[in-house]
């Protein structure tokens, strides 16, 4: 019988994988904490501790189910230079005659393992992760390198193909998209109704000590009691809570932001009506299919959940999550170096502290440092929008997003950041640059009411920096944006302004760009 070694990566914690249907004393699974994975960027401390805790929990669950498992901590792997070095040792030590692994979702790791297997003198086999709606070998039929793809077309195709929220050949209720109903601001009267988030108390004190002992550089706030789910059971609890408590108002307020909930005691402004399932899904503790199906079941059984709420949620998972994965694999590795707008400024140091007088940026960044989490509008239209209109280099933006968010793996982070947020891919992901002035923040949040700056002003010392930076950004790229039907009218209105007025705005913006550290 062949001695087989199967590698499980930290984001491959899928108990439903076909690997685990049968047990064999000739198959050994290895799950390892690796310095290379904890240090390829500066991660949030909660992110590393959550992955390590989830990996430990998964190894324990496999052992209890009767599988042979080797779990290696940083202490055990510190003498190995990298993953291939560790694998060579295990193969020799255990007399392994066959090596198996599931396709990594990050280009970096997939390349490393592909190259490693070319050097092996034993048999090896590669498996799909069996997690996404689309298998890895299906992506080429949907996405082409360099081609501009649009979510809506892909999303409708996925809905039809997988029969999700469909009525025959058409969408349920006759409408595909309820995005226009999902842009509501939280009024003062809505704040008291926001539920307390479901959080967990997973003891990661030993893991935190281990991370510190090995000198791994991190960012963010550490807690001995980790609030994130670290196993399938907790992920399912969070899903049930979302479907029962949060989904009835999820779509309605999915784009809303608030900094006022601290007035009601503990600040729930970081969680609102969002599921916060992204870490559990991306680590594969729970499948996107089960999440979507649970939301639809709740919609069908609960009259308080209307179609706009559930459709908005389904679009994020069946649509956007699968979409960005396809974009990533169609365009890597070149995608990682795209900089269509020639942005080149460094990220201000306050991205690591939240110490800025801009209320929206301060709140979103501080929240991210405290919880390793921010919802999609905070990422796209607050931190992302600032970086876009200020011209921050996409490499620096990518690195920050990849490190700070607990759910950030490169395949999902990069198309969101370099593509959707920074327009550095020149429109492969989005049809326009998602740039906005302070008026958008005022429309979707209550940040502006207690900000140092005045959102109604564009020039002057107290003017919201986003206003002049927005117009400077649009003016700088007017040659390319004028031909875009989604920005043509905005630019036309800008160019109709008296030249003296435009010069005042551009002067204010240039001053800000030279003083980004002091905003």
């Amino acid at each position: 019988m062949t001695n087989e070694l199967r590698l499980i990566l930290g984001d491959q914690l899928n108990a439903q994988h076909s690997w685990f249907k049968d047990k064999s004393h000739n198959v050994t699974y290895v799950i390892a904490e690796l310095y290379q994975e904890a240090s390829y960027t500066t991660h949030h401390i909660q992110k590393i501790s959550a992955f390590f805790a989830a990996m430990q929990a998964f190894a324990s669950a496999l052992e209890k189910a009767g599988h042979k498992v080797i779990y290696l901590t940083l202490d055990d792997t510190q003498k190995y230079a990298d993953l291939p070095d560790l694998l060579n040792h295990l193969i020799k030590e255990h007399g392994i005659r066959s090596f198996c692994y599931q396709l990594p979702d990050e280009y970096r790791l997939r390349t490393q393992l592909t190259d490693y297997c070319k050097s092996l003198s034993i048999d090896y086999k590669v498996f799909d992760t069996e997690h996404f709606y689309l298998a890895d070998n299906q992506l080429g039929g949907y996405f082409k390198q360099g081609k501009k793809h649009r979510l809506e077309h892909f999303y409708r195709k996925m809905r039809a193909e997988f029969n999700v929220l469909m009525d025959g050949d058409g969408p349920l209720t006759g409408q595909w998209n309820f995005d226009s109903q999902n842009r509501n601001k939280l009024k003062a009267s809505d704040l008291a109704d926001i539920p307390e988030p479901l959080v967990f108390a997973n003891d990661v004190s030993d893991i935190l000590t281990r991370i510190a002992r090995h000198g791994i550089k991190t960012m963010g706030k550490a807690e001995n009691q980790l609030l994130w789910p670290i196993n399938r059971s907790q992920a399912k609890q969070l899903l049930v809570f979302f479907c029962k408590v949060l989904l009835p108002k999820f779509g309605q307020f999915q784009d809303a932001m608030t900094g006022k909930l601290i007035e009601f005691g503990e600040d729930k402004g970081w969680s609102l009506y969002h599921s916060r399932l992204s870490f559990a899904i991306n680590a594969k503790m729970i499948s996107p299919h089960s999440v979507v199906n649970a939301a639809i079941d709740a919609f069908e059984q609960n009259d308080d959940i209307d179609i706009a709420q559930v459709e908005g949620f389904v679009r994020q998972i069946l649509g956007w999550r699968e979409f960005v994965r396809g974009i990533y694999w169609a365009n890597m590795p070149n995608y990682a170096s795209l900089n269509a707008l020639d942005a080149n400024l460094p990220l201000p140091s306050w991205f690591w502290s939240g110490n800025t007088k801009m209320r929206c940026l301060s709140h979103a960044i501080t929240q991210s440092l405290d919880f390793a989490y921010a919802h999609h509008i905070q990422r796209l239209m607050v931190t992302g929008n600032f970086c876009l209109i200020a011209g921050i280099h996409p490499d620096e933006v990518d690195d920050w997003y990849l490190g700070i968010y607990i759910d950030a793996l490169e395949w999902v982070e990069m198309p969101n950041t370099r593509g959707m947020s920074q327009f550095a891919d020149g429109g492969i992901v989005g049809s326009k640059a998602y740039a906005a002035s302070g008026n958008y923040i005022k429309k979707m949040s209550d940040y502006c009411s207690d900000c140092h700056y005045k959102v109604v002003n564009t020039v002057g010392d107290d003017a919201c920096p986003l206003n002049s930076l927005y117009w400077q950004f649009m003016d700088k790229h007017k040659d390319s944006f004028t031909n875009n039907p989604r920005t043509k009218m905005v630019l036309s209105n800008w160019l109709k302004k008296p030249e003296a007025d435009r010069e005042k705005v551009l002067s204010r913006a240039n001053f800000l760009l030279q003083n980004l550290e002091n905003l």
Side-chain angles (χ1 to χ4, degrees):
M1 295 290 286
T2 300
N3 249 0
E4 186 167 281
L5 181 69
R6 293 180 178 178
L7 173 67
I8 300 173
L9 297 173
D11 64 341
Q12 296 177 342
L13 311 181
N14 178 11
Q16 306 303 302
H17 196 279
S18 58
W19 270 3
F20 310 121
K21 288 182 179 177
D22 300 312
K23 304 176 187 68
S24 170
H25 67 275
N26 286 306
V27 173
T28 301
Y29 295 94
V30 60
I31 304 175
E33 300 172 5
L34 293 168
Y35 185 87
Q36 75 163 47
E37 294 307 294
S39 61
Y40 66 85
T41 191
T42 301
H43 296 286
H44 198 295
I45 183 63
Q46 290 181 42
K47 180 182 181 183
I48 300 179
S49 59
F51 270 103
F52 284 3
M55 289 157 61
Q56 284 183 327
F58 191 67
S60 177
L62 286 182
E63 283 187 323
K64 288 178 181 176
H67 298 282
K68 288 176 61 179
V69 183
I70 299 172
Y71 188 84
L72 301 172
T73 70
L74 286 173
D75 296 334
D76 303 314
T77 63
Q78 63 180 328
K79 57 189 172 185
Y80 305 107
D82 52 19
L83 176 58
D85 192 25
L86 169 64
L87 293 174
N88 281 334
H89 169 78
L90 292 173
I91 287 170
K92 182 178 179 181
E93 182 181 47
H94 296 276
I96 300 299
R97 299 176 62 186
S98 176
F99 171 62
C100 299
Y101 69 94
Q102 297 173 31
L103 279 169
D105 290 317
E106 292 197 353
Y107 182 86
R108 170 185 58 85
L109 271 171
R110 190 174 293 195
T111 300
Q112 186 181 45
L113 282 170
T114 299
D115 292 344
Y116 171 69
C117 286
K118 290 176 183 177
S119 70
L120 286 176
S121 58
I122 62 172
D123 292 334
Y124 69 90
K125 190 173 182 181
V126 186
F127 292 77
D128 192 273
T129 60
E130 302 174 9
H131 169 77
F132 296 93
Y133 276 88
L134 295 178
D136 193 86
N137 60 13
Q138 292 180 291
L139 293 176
Y142 291 80
F143 299 92
K144 305 298 179 186
Q145 183 176 3
K147 182 180 178 182
K148 295 181 178 181
H149 294 276
R150 296 296 170 255
L151 170 67
E152 192 64 28
H153 173 75
F154 172 78
Y155 171 54
R156 294 183 185 191
K157 194 172 182 179
M158 292 288 283
R159 286 264 299 271
E161 183 170 340
F162 291 96
N163 193 29
V164 174
L165 293 177
M166 296 294 290
D167 183 7
D169 294 332
L172 193 66
T173 74
Q175 188 173 331
W176 287 102
N177 191 310
F178 294 85
D179 196 39
S180 61
Q181 297 180 35
N182 295 341
R183 300 170 183 164
N184 293 279
K185 180 176 182 175
L186 286 160
K187 300 186 296 292
S189 58
D190 297 318
L191 299 183
D193 296 332
I194 295 173
E196 289 284 345
L198 173 63
V199 297
F200 301 94
N202 295 303
D203 186 0
V204 292
S205 53
D206 287 347
I207 291 174
L208 295 177
T209 300
R210 190 156 68 245
I211 291 169
R213 183 165 65 244
H214 288 272
I216 294 172
K217 184 182 178 183
T218 62
M219 69 167 98
K221 183 179 178 181
E223 297 285 358
N224 286 333
Q225 301 298 312
L226 184 75
L227 62 89
W228 294 96
I230 62 165
N231 56 48
R232 181 172 173 80
S233 174
Q234 290 181 350
K236 289 169 76 172
Q237 289 178 55
L238 197 57
L239 174 59
V240 169
F241 178 80
F242 170 70
C243 291
K244 182 179 180 180
V245 180
L246 306 176
L247 186 54
K249 292 186 178 179
F250 166 77
Q252 181 182 359
F253 294 122
Q254 70 175 20
D255 288 0
M257 299 173 285
T258 178
K260 300 289 190 183
L261 280 168
I262 194 69
E263 297 172 9
F264 293 86
E266 184 180 352
D267 190 350
K268 298 173 288 185
W270 70 282
S271 55
L272 300 177
Y273 290 97
H274 294 273
S275 73
R276 296 179 294 107
L277 284 163
S278 52
F279 167 66
I281 302 175
N282 290 353
K284 301 182 180 61
M285 288 182 272
I286 192 168
S287 75
H289 305 73
S290 63
V291 171
V292 166
N293 291 340
I296 293 173
D297 287 346
F299 159 67
E300 292 174 344
Q301 297 166 18
N302 187 346
D303 291 338
D304 291 334
I305 303 172
D306 64 37
I307 184 68
Q309 316 308 315
V310 72
E311 187 278 319
F313 184 68
V314 167
R315 190 177 347 127
Q316 289 189 352
I317 297 177
L318 176 66
W320 189 250
R321 186 170 184 270
E322 298 280 330
F323 179 74
V324 295
R325 172 175 171 252
I327 293 290
Y328 177 81
W329 283 111
N331 292 283
M332 285 296 283
N334 293 335
Y335 199 83
S337 60
L338 295 179
N339 188 2
L341 299 180
D342 294 322
N344 56 21
L345 291 183
L347 202 62
S349 63
W350 41 261
F351 265 74
W352 283 267
S353 68
N355 293 330
T356 169
K357 296 187 290 291
M358 288 180 285
R359 176 67 173 139
C360 57
L361 271 299
S362 176
H363 187 270
I365 291 170
T366 300
Q367 174 189 307
S368 301
L369 291 166
D370 286 349
F371 297 100
Y373 174 81
H375 72 66
H376 62 283
I377 293 299
Q378 290 175 305
R379 300 188 201 193
L380 175 65
M381 299 307 299
V382 180
T383 49
N385 176 57
F386 173 83
C387 292
L388 172 67
I389 62 179
I392 307 300
H393 197 293
D395 285 357
E396 296 211 11
V397 185
D398 259 340
D399 213 35
W400 186 81
Y401 276 83
L402 182 60
I404 199 167
Y405 292 120
I406 194 165
D407 53 16
L409 300 168
E410 191 182 75
W411 68 267
V412 68
E413 173 275 323
M414 187 174 286
N416 269 291
T417 303
R418 190 172 291 259
M420 183 69 170
S421 172
Q422 300 304 294
F423 204 66
D425 65 2
I428 291 175
V429 168
S431 58
K432 71 165 187 173
Y434 274 80
S437 67
N439 189 54
Y440 177 87
I441 306 299
K442 181 183 178 183
K443 179 182 176 183
M444 294 308 304
S445 78
D446 50 31
Y447 292 145
C448 300
S449 63
D450 54 359
C451 183
H452 169 83
Y453 297 102
K454 302 295 187 288
V455 70
V456 294
N457 294 344
T458 302
V459 296
D461 292 343
D462 65 348
C464 173
L466 299 179
N467 292 337
S468 59
L469 288 176
Y470 169 77
W471 288 116
Q472 190 272 346
F473 172 80
M474 297 300 291
D475 186 80
K476 179 180 180 180
H477 300 290
K478 59 180 178 287
D479 290 344
S480 55
F481 289 175
T482 300
N483 297 321
N484 188 319
R486 299 190 69 185
T487 53
K488 191 174 183 178
M489 185 175 295
V490 171
L491 267 169
S492 177
N493 290 335
W494 163 249
L495 295 172
K496 288 177 183 176
K497 293 179 181 291
E499 184 176 354
D501 290 349
R502 282 186 279 133
E503 283 300 321
K504 288 179 183 177
V505 174
L506 295 178
S507 177
R508 166 68 174 164
N510 288 328
F511 171 81
L512 295 173
L513 290 173
Q514 293 170 23
N515 293 275
L516 291 181
E517 285 292 332
N518 302 315
L519 300 185

